Amino acid sequence: QSALTQPPSASGSLGQSVTISCTGSSSDVGGYAYVSWYQQHPGKAPKVVIYEVTKRPSGVPERFSGSKSGNTASLTVSGLQAEDEADYYCISYAGANKLGVFGGGTKLTVL
Amino acid sequence: QVQLQESGPGLVKPSETLSLTCNVSGYSISSGYYWGWIRQPPGKGLEWIGIIYQNGHSFYNPSLKSRAALSVAASKNQFSLNLRSVTAADTAVYFCARVASNAPTDWGQGTLVTVSS
């Protein structure tokens, strides 16, 4: 299984929106409605911000949203805040008896 | 609310076995879910090691399968990782996690394991 492709970096100004892509194949992202996104601050464990492509866990701000088109999933952060600066990882289900496939991660900088 | 906590040595010598335990609280391992280990080398991305169910059914990252072994101690509400024949390339923060749909949902805080003589 190949890792999902994410841009190494993304940036946006305070209050703006930014979208991070996660590209896989029909065997993972395109084939299932199970894509999650994690936010990781330095020295901390990852935290789920989106699961099952579009769902937000309780406590995650509405500014975080997810979508998918074909083999590409996307995470959009609207109204950027300073605390959104972090690394973001996607993961997709890839079939029974297979580990989910991680993306390589995207470093989001808030300008 | 489930909580996970990794424990084990922070320093392991090359060629030896890395052993970590994840203590689970707030949820009984016997009630379901897969449980897994993920690692993150310094400055790098997330890498699966493997996942295990309460009945012992497990699957592994093919790149580590020959060296990794997961086990469950349901009576202690713990699961464990053994990674044999470690090298400096195994230096990483190791996370344990509860897994659903083959993705981590709840994470431990992570523990840094350094492989060095």
Side-chain angles (χ1 to χ4, degrees), chain B residues 12 20 29 36 49 51 56 79 83:
Chain B
V12 181
L20 295 173
I29 285 180
I49 299 172
I51 65 176
F79 61 102
L83 186 65

Side-chain angles (χ1 to χ4, degrees), chain A residues 1 34 36 38 40 43-48 52 87 89 91-104, chain B residues 34 38 40 44-51 57 59-62 95 100-110:
Chain A
Q1 289 167 296
Y34 289 100
S36 296
Y38 304 100
Q40 186 181 33
K44 301 293 187 182
K47 165 192 166 186
V48 179
E52 293 179 13
D87 293 326
Y89 295 90
I91 187 171
S92 173
Y93 184 80
N97 293 327
K98 294 182 183 179
L99 297 169
V101 184
F102 278 113
Chain B
Y34 276 86
I38 304 100
Q40 185 171 37
K44 295 189 177 181
L46 301 169
E47 179 185 34
W48 275 114
I49 299 172
I51 65 176
H57 178 247
F59 41 106
Y60 297 88
N61 183 333
F95 296 99
S101 302
N102 296 351
T105 55
D106 304 274
W107 298 68
Q109 66 184 28

